Amino acid sequence: MADKILKELTIKVWRQKNAKAQGKFETYKINNISTGTSFLEMLDILNEELINGGTEPIAFDHDCREGICGMCSLFINGRAHGPDDDITTCQLHMRMFSEGETITIEPWRAGAFPVIKDLIVDRTAFEKILQAGGYISVNTGGVPDGNAILISQDDAEEAMDAAACIGCGACVATCKNSSAMLFVSAKVSHLAKLPQGKVEAARRAKSMVAKMDEMGFGNCTNTGACEVECPKGISIGNIARLNREFLVAKIKD
Amino acid sequence: MTVLNSKIPAGPIAEKWSSHKAAIKVVSPANKRKLDIIVVGTGLAGGSAAASMAEMGYNVKAFCYQDSGRRAHSIAAQGGINAAKNYQNDNDSVHRLFYDTVKGGDYRAREANVHRLSEVSGEIIDQCVAQGVPFAREYGGTLSNRSFGGVLVSRTFYARGQTGQQLLLGCYASMNRMIGQGKIEMHERSELLDIVIIEGKARGIITRNLVTGEIERHSAHAVVLATGGYSNVFFLSTNAMGCNAGAAWQAYKNGACFANPCYVQIHPTCIPIHGEQQSKLTLMSESLRNDGRVWTPKKKEDAVKLQKGQITANDIAEEDRDFYLERRYPSYGNLVPRDVASRAAKERCDEGFGVNETGKAVYLDFKYSIERLGKDVIEARYGNLFQMYEKITAANPYELPMQIYPAIHYTMGGIWVDYNLMTNVPGLYAIGEANFSDHGANRLGASALMQGLADGYFVLPYTIGDYLADEIQVPRIDVNHQEFVKKEKAVTDRMTRLYNIKGTKTVDSFHKRLGNVMWENIGMARNEEGLKLAIKEIQAIRKDFYKDLRIPGDYDAMNIELEKAGRVEDFLDLGELMAYDALDRKESCGGHYREESTTEDGEAKRDDENFAYVSAWEYQGEGKAPKLNKEELVFENVKLTQRSYK
Ligand SMILES: Cc1cc2nc3c(=O)[nH]c(=O)nc-3n(C[C@H](O)[C@H](O)[C@H](O)COP(=O)(O)OP(=O)(O)OC[C@H]3O[C@@H](n4cnc5c(N)ncnc54)[C@H](O)[C@@H]3O)c2cc1C
Ligand code: SF4
Ligand code: FES
């Protein structure tokens, strides 16, 4: 498709020097952006202009720029990862915007994700949840042959659906309660779907949920907003599975 | 003068690894507790090494520059991981994987290392399955396989188009278990900026905390670099934005040899460059070549019309399509290795048959496999890749062929290591893409993941014991040692020097300039004149960099421009070394294509007589030409032949 040029855009962006400072919106103009340019490339161009003009560039998180590492974030025009479905911000392209538009950019906002600078937030609360039990306890070596554990194609596919979570945090950012249920349920489901993970499924569900609460994420009230904004199409069906796993674990206690 | 001792064990190739394992030292569990190991990098190589060594009982400190260990660049690998399991009964074996890899690498890898890699490959799959990696399965529940470029068997295991992600989540989960148990101390958003050597041994690192800007000292009995590749020296590449050569470069400056820097892999199936504003190139997995056919128009008129946007691929009649890979390489067809496929695409585009407005693209067409297998099958196999392609290009690959073009993708060169994966600096190890070892001048698809995990799970955890067994009497290293103080000061001086240039140009502008020089002269084709020119141009860019760099923001706080400046400074030096290496190697091999060395029918021409060696470059001090050491490669088990895929 032939790319067009957006002659002028207005960028309203959250600037915050560090975790302790007060943040506020700043407004910038940017010209001549090709619609084939990605959103982050647009920010790169804006940053070049800011630096050339003697201003500090806007800090934002990103790395792979292929929609897989989960590092990019950004709340764009009121939506996590911006105005397109099933994508991360690095995959968002400027063809989703129109001439003369004002684009508002904010960081993920959630108590458990404090702002570090500008648009960068601290998501280590997710890692803490994983460290509490998001694994199968197996040491390197001393494992059976891969084909000794038969797994039906459907189970493998379902496990893969859940395992596709990239840990971006869009679900938390978009949830009015800042709940981490979709993320946690994806992890729990992935491992609970597989025979290797069943052995410690109950323990895992309990310790991860306990950690999630401890880290200050809100409760899930089944609004489903998380599923809508998840770039990897993680289903809220996983939340039901987590609840089941959790319940079974409690009954066993 | 550095003496390179590869420590390749004696004996028949198939017994080298087992006899070596039997001979090397083992550290007792009680003593492992007293030993600290630093692992820099948490990709597949670093993550698997950190988890395995922590499980064994060592105290591990792990570092990465991202906000989470799981975001290492390995996460982006799409297509799959090789292993010689012969689950498909297609006559695969350890020997065949070994042979394919040595041949695929154009006979510039070490036989012994490659054989070991093939031997442990099967165990990797078992390990990953046990961790819960959801590999694709057949209806009967057994593991599924597919084929990749450069081989005639199906030995690639995969988890949709997200294999790297799933493998990394597997080893990251193992790391998390060890972090939870206090056996791994994890440092995110931390960047290695120097290595501390005490009495000739690597004893620690200096890092910058990327959130606070603080310079930190960390000590250990051994230091492992698992910091990935340096493709970003080209600015545009398929690598993540933060990928860098910093750690490898510090190793080099501290005495470790840098091997084969000019061996760069060009991946044939990337989304073409769209314009000036681009920041990176996106790979389309090589697995697509299993079902996609590569072609350009036969007639130049058609190509011109395509370039002007007057017609689409669908307007070109069947008989006017040139399936040039199938034409030139009938036995491998679309599945020739990457270097061959990339050069063939460049050749077609250089001749004027390119299919997009820049003339730098060829088609990867799924029409034929959709006709043969149905859209559903293709969607199940590659759906997420097709979706990704459409998001980026706004074109639907189910209806129109994909446009692809080669891009810089992987670096076979890296820090020189011996058979134990130790550099020539005692106590300093390098694993995964950061080392030079197993791929020779070209890497076959699905082999990088295999090497990273082989090193991390099944090689380093054994070989490091051989060194550490002699270190158990050494008490925990004190970070107040004068060498730490000295190195911390050197880092601070370097960073303040960059910060205080206060010029007018951005870091990225220098990086782009360097990238241009690299792509033009040290990219898909090289010649003596271009390489000499590149050295001059890089030196000029460096001069300008030190004069006119601008870094805004605060010095002692999060400062992304300062981070990038350090990386680009290293890239400038590395780029120059790559040119030196490419100049020395007057043959064509794998990813290194010297225009002066070609066969009559336009294929790359190797010169085994004069160049069957690893170039291990040694740092001689600032502004001095590097010194070349050679490790002669000895081939006892494979016969060196012209690499043919016809
Ligand atoms: C798009 C893409 C697709 C690919 N697909 C495949 C495939 O299908 N099959 C295959 O076999 N291979 C594939 N590869 C290649 C393969 O992914 C890589 O070679 C491999 O993952 C490298 O792993 P690694 O652990 O060595 O390094 P990486 O995964 O790059 O990890 C490097 C680590 O080092 C850290 N680091 C780097 N520098 C520093 C520093 N100075 N201080 C602190 N930390 C640092 C990073 O934070 C990171 O944790 C692909 C590559 C790309 C780019
Ligand atoms: S569940 Fe979806 S939105 Fe939430 S962290 Fe995972 S990928 Fe991101
Ligand atoms: S930068 Fe990796 S997902 Fe966006």
Side-chain angles (χ1 to χ4, degrees):
Chain A
M1 301 307 110
D3 294 333
K4 288 198 298 268
I5 298 293
L6 300 171
K7 287 205 207 67
E8 187 180 276
L9 296 165
T10 305
I11 310 291
K12 219 176 122 197
V13 57
W14 186 258
R15 304 294 316 247
Q16 181 171 338
K17 202 165 174 55
N18 55 46
K20 294 195 193 90
Q22 277 271 337
K24 65 170 191 317
F25 281 106
E26 293 282 354
T27 304
Y28 307 101
K29 293 263 187 243
I30 183 161
N31 304 321
N32 300 325
I33 295 296
S34 159
T35 52
T37 299
S38 76
F39 194 81
L40 297 186
E41 283 165 355
M42 182 277 290
L43 283 180
D44 290 341
I45 297 164
L46 177 58
N47 274 344
E48 288 279 302
E49 288 175 12
L50 292 180
I51 299 170
N52 287 332
T55 310
E56 208 183 330
I58 303 156
F60 60 93
D61 254 336
H62 66 104
D63 200 24
C64 74
R65 295 208 176 180
E66 285 196 17
I68 191 76
C69 73
M71 191 138 168
C72 60
S73 48
L74 307 191
F75 228 65
I76 302 164
N77 288 346
R79 282 186 69 182
H81 294 306
D84 197 356
D85 295 331
D86 299 329
I87 56 162
T88 55
T89 299
C90 57
Q91 286 181 299
L92 178 67
H93 278 67
M94 295 309 290
R95 62 180 78 89
M96 298 302 296
F97 299 90
S98 40
E99 186 55 56
E101 197 174 335
T102 298
I103 304 173
T104 307
I105 315 174
E106 295 165 82
W108 280 173
R109 296 199 193 273
F113 290 166
V115 172
I116 295 177
K117 179 175 182 151
D118 294 344
L119 303 168
I120 296 182
V121 302
D122 180 353
R123 283 170 285 193
T124 36
F126 268 9
E127 313 312 308
K128 297 275 185 296
I129 297 173
L130 297 177
Q131 286 153 20
Y135 47 76
I136 291 173
S137 299
V138 53
N139 279 351
T140 304
V143 297
D145 183 90
N147 264 352
I149 307 169
L150 295 178
I151 300 173
S152 84
Q153 209 177 52
D154 290 344
D155 283 342
E157 290 294 311
E158 269 186 63
M160 181 65 222
D161 285 341
C165 163
I166 55 173
C168 62
C171 47
V172 174
T174 207
C175 170
K176 65 178 166 53
N177 308 320
S178 297
S179 162
M181 273 299 256
L182 194 64
F183 168 76
V184 176
S185 72
K187 290 286 141 195
V188 166
S189 296
H190 158 211
L191 298 175
K193 266 319 279 183
L194 299 168
Q196 311 90 300
K198 283 249 162 61
V199 182
E200 53 190 330
R203 200 176 70 128
R204 177 183 311 119
K206 272 194 309 189
S207 50
M208 287 178 79
V209 169
K211 197 47 140 194
M212 173 179 84
D213 293 341
E214 186 194 318
M215 297 312 295
F217 291 100
N219 289 319
C220 171
T221 52
N222 284 315
T223 54
C226 51
E227 184 186 55
V228 176
E229 290 302 5
C230 171
K232 297 294 151 183
I234 305 294
S235 148
I236 45 171
N238 289 305
I239 297 183
R241 186 177 293 119
L242 170 61
N243 285 333
R244 251 187 341 262
E245 292 280 331
F246 189 68
L247 213 67
V248 171
K250 281 282 176 210
I251 293 166
K252 277 196 195 144
D253 275 354
Chain B
M1 152 124 198
T2 304
V3 183
L4 298 176
N5 180 358
S6 62
K7 303 221 175 86
I8 297 171
I13 188 106
E15 287 162 30
K16 282 184 195 290
W17 178 227
S18 31
S19 57
H20 187 67
K21 274 194 294 184
I24 57 178
K25 290 174 215 148
V26 177
V27 181
S28 84
N31 284 330
K32 285 197 184 103
R33 283 198 293 275
K34 298 184 204 149
L35 293 166
D36 304 332
I37 304 174
I38 283 174
V39 179
V40 189
T42 57
L44 286 174
S48 55
S52 303
M53 294 190 300
E55 286 162 8
M56 291 165 87
Y58 295 112
N59 305 307
V60 176
K61 297 182 200 175
F63 297 80
C64 71
Y65 69 75
Q66 293 94 343
D67 69 333
S68 159
R70 60 186 304 202
R71 306 213 208 277
H73 170 61
S74 295
I75 199 103
Q78 300 170 348
I81 176 168
N82 286 338
K85 282 282 204 183
N86 194 32
Y87 281 163
Q88 304 307 325
N89 196 30
D90 52 6
N91 197 10
D92 199 9
S93 64
V94 167
H95 184 80
R96 194 175 292 277
L97 174 54
F98 159 70
Y99 176 80
D100 285 343
T101 309
V102 173
K103 176 186 170 195
D106 226 346
Y107 308 95
R108 290 293 174 264
R110 246 189 230 148
E111 275 193 345
N113 284 53
V114 179
H115 201 279
R116 171 175 68 190
L117 174 66
S118 310
E119 283 173 63
V120 304
S121 64
E123 274 181 273
I124 296 170
I125 304 302
D126 303 338
Q127 178 62 30
C128 296
V129 168
Q131 286 168 341
V133 171
F135 283 121
R137 298 271 171 168
E138 302 294 341
Y139 283 121
T142 54
L143 288 151
S144 217
N145 290 106
R146 60 186 172 202
S147 184
F148 252 57
V151 300
L152 297 171
V153 293
S154 291
R155 64 160 74 101
T156 306
F157 294 77
Y158 62 100
R160 293 204 189 132
Q162 287 123 283
T163 314
Q165 174 193 39
Q166 292 308 312
L167 296 173
L168 185 59
L169 293 183
C171 79
Y172 184 59
S174 291
M175 276 185 79
N176 275 329
R177 176 168 155 249
M178 290 297 111
I179 295 171
Q181 290 178 16
K183 289 303 290 179
I184 296 181
E185 189 184 290
M186 184 68 215
H187 298 262
E188 294 102 349
R189 293 198 197 267
S190 292
E191 181 152 344
L192 179 153
L193 290 178
D194 211 337
I195 297 166
V196 180
I197 316 260
I198 299 176
E199 287 162 19
K201 293 177 173 176
R203 291 302 193 194
I205 61 173
I206 307 289
T207 58
R208 181 168 183 272
N209 178 320
L210 301 181
V211 177
T212 62
E214 268 166 284
I215 304 295
E216 296 173 357
R217 307 174 196 173
H218 300 277
S219 72
H221 294 87
V223 175
V224 180
L225 303 182
T227 47
Y230 51 86
S231 295
N232 279 3
V233 67
F234 289 86
F235 187 70
L236 284 182
S237 82
T238 64
N239 279 197
M241 301 301 284
C243 288
N244 65 87
W249 202 249
Q250 289 314 314
Y252 173 69
K253 283 192 151 176
N254 280 292
C257 286
F258 203 114
N260 299 335
C262 83
Y263 289 168
V264 178
Q265 181 164 78
I266 320 272
H267 198 293
T269 55
C270 296
I271 298 179
I273 299 183
H274 68 67
E276 291 288 297
Q277 302 180 331
Q278 195 147 353
S279 63
K280 83 153 267 166
L281 298 172
T282 301
L283 175 81
M284 299 312 297
S285 166
E286 186 175 17
S287 61
L288 292 168
R289 285 199 276 147
N290 265 315
D291 287 306
R293 292 178 73 190
V294 177
W295 63 276
T296 53
K298 266 187 197 156
K299 295 197 244 161
K300 231 176 226 159
E301 312 86 272
D302 284 345
V304 173
K305 281 189 201 149
L306 286 168
Q307 288 161 10
K308 290 191 179 146
Q310 292 161 344
I311 55 170
T312 73
N314 294 343
D315 297 320
I316 297 178
E318 200 60 38
E319 62 275 15
D320 292 334
R321 300 178 176 198
D322 175 16
F323 298 92
Y324 59 87
L325 290 177
E326 297 166 39
R327 167 168 61 78
R328 282 176 65 175
Y329 308 99
S331 63
Y332 281 76
N334 294 300
L335 285 173
V336 290
R338 293 176 179 176
D339 57 327
V340 179
S342 297
R343 272 196 295 279
K346 179 176 191 288
E347 190 271 333
R348 284 293 78 197
C349 294
D350 287 351
E351 290 299 311
F353 293 96
V355 300
N356 68 351
E357 64 282 5
T358 62
K360 288 202 161 76
V362 300
Y363 287 130
L364 178 62
D365 200 343
F366 290 87
K367 170 176 164 246
Y368 304 93
S369 53
I370 290 174
E371 279 163 14
R372 186 164 47 93
L373 302 164
K375 189 178 164 208
D376 291 354
V377 174
I378 295 303
E379 190 169 352
R381 279 186 196 164
Y382 312 109
N384 69 317
L385 299 175
F386 277 43
Q387 186 205 5
M388 182 165 97
Y389 180 87
E390 188 169 357
K391 290 283 180 200
I392 294 172
T393 63
N396 179 349
Y398 293 102
E399 285 161 14
L400 269 178
M402 287 184 181
Q403 295 184 356
I404 52 162
Y405 196 68
I408 300 287
H409 178 60
Y410 179 93
T411 46
M412 279 80 63
I415 311 167
W416 184 90
V417 289
D418 64 17
Y419 190 71
N420 289 327
L421 304 179
M422 188 155 88
T423 68
N424 53 305
V425 175
L428 183 63
Y429 291 78
I431 59 176
E433 193 174 337
N435 76 20
F436 88 103
S437 66
D438 300 1
H439 306 298
N442 177 47
R443 169 176 75 81
L444 291 182
S447 296
L449 301 182
M450 172 172 68
Q451 186 222 333
L453 290 179
D455 288 358
Y457 283 134
F458 299 113
V459 180
L460 183 73
Y462 298 146
T463 58
I464 204 167
D466 196 46
Y467 173 79
L468 290 175
D470 294 331
E471 297 290 317
I472 52 182
Q473 304 296 345
V474 179
R476 181 150 290 163
I477 316 295
D478 183 3
V479 291
N480 294 315
H481 190 286
Q482 58 180 30
E483 286 303 316
F484 273 95
V485 178
K486 226 170 81 189
K487 282 291 171 63
E488 181 182 316
K489 181 166 183 306
V491 165
T492 311
D493 289 350
R494 174 181 167 205
M495 287 293 141
T496 41
R497 178 182 175 205
L498 291 173
Y499 184 72
N500 287 329
I501 295 173
K502 309 258 182 243
T504 63
K505 296 189 188 120
T506 66
V507 183
D508 281 355
S509 71
F510 287 103
H511 196 174
K512 282 184 194 170
R513 272 167 70 188
L514 172 67
N516 257 333
V517 173
M518 298 298 295
W519 177 251
E520 289 304 326
N521 303 294
I522 319 177
M524 289 234 285
R526 299 113 187 241
N527 59 45
E528 184 170 336
E529 196 190 341
L531 290 166
K532 287 188 171 153
L533 179 77
I535 294 176
K536 283 216 185 82
E537 287 187 357
I538 294 170
Q539 287 169 347
I541 300 172
R542 181 186 298 116
K543 233 171 123 191
D544 198 19
F545 178 83
Y546 286 127
K547 215 179 68 212
D548 210 10
L549 175 71
R550 168 183 288 181
I551 299 174
D554 295 330
Y555 176 78
D556 44 8
M558 178 174 262
N559 189 328
I560 291 165
E561 292 301 303
L562 185 58
E563 284 168 32
K564 288 196 289 190
R567 294 176 195 153
V568 171
E569 183 183 32
D570 295 335
F571 280 142
L572 283 163
D573 293 347
L574 170 66
E576 196 176 332
L577 184 70
M578 289 167 74
Y580 275 115
D581 187 40
L583 252 180
D584 166 72
R585 195 165 285 277
K586 295 190 178 66
E587 62 163 352
S588 290
C589 64
H592 169 66
Y593 184 72
R594 270 296 282 265
E595 286 169 356
E596 296 93 332
S597 183
T598 56
T599 63
E600 269 165 20
D601 51 354
E603 303 288 340
K605 189 162 136 219
R606 233 180 37 237
D607 175 358
D608 295 325
E609 194 85 14
N610 297 303
F611 291 99
Y613 60 76
V614 173
S615 311
W617 295 90
E618 191 182 334
Y619 184 63
Q620 299 291 299
E622 214 166 310
K624 294 204 185 115
K627 181 167 169 293
L628 175 63
N629 300 289
K630 296 178 185 176
E631 179 198 335
E632 293 299 331
L633 290 167
V634 185
F635 294 89
E636 291 169 343
N637 300 277
V638 289
K639 215 170 106 237
L640 279 70
T641 48
Q642 171 72 25
R643 202 161 57 111
S644 168
Y645 292 90
K646 299 207 154 135

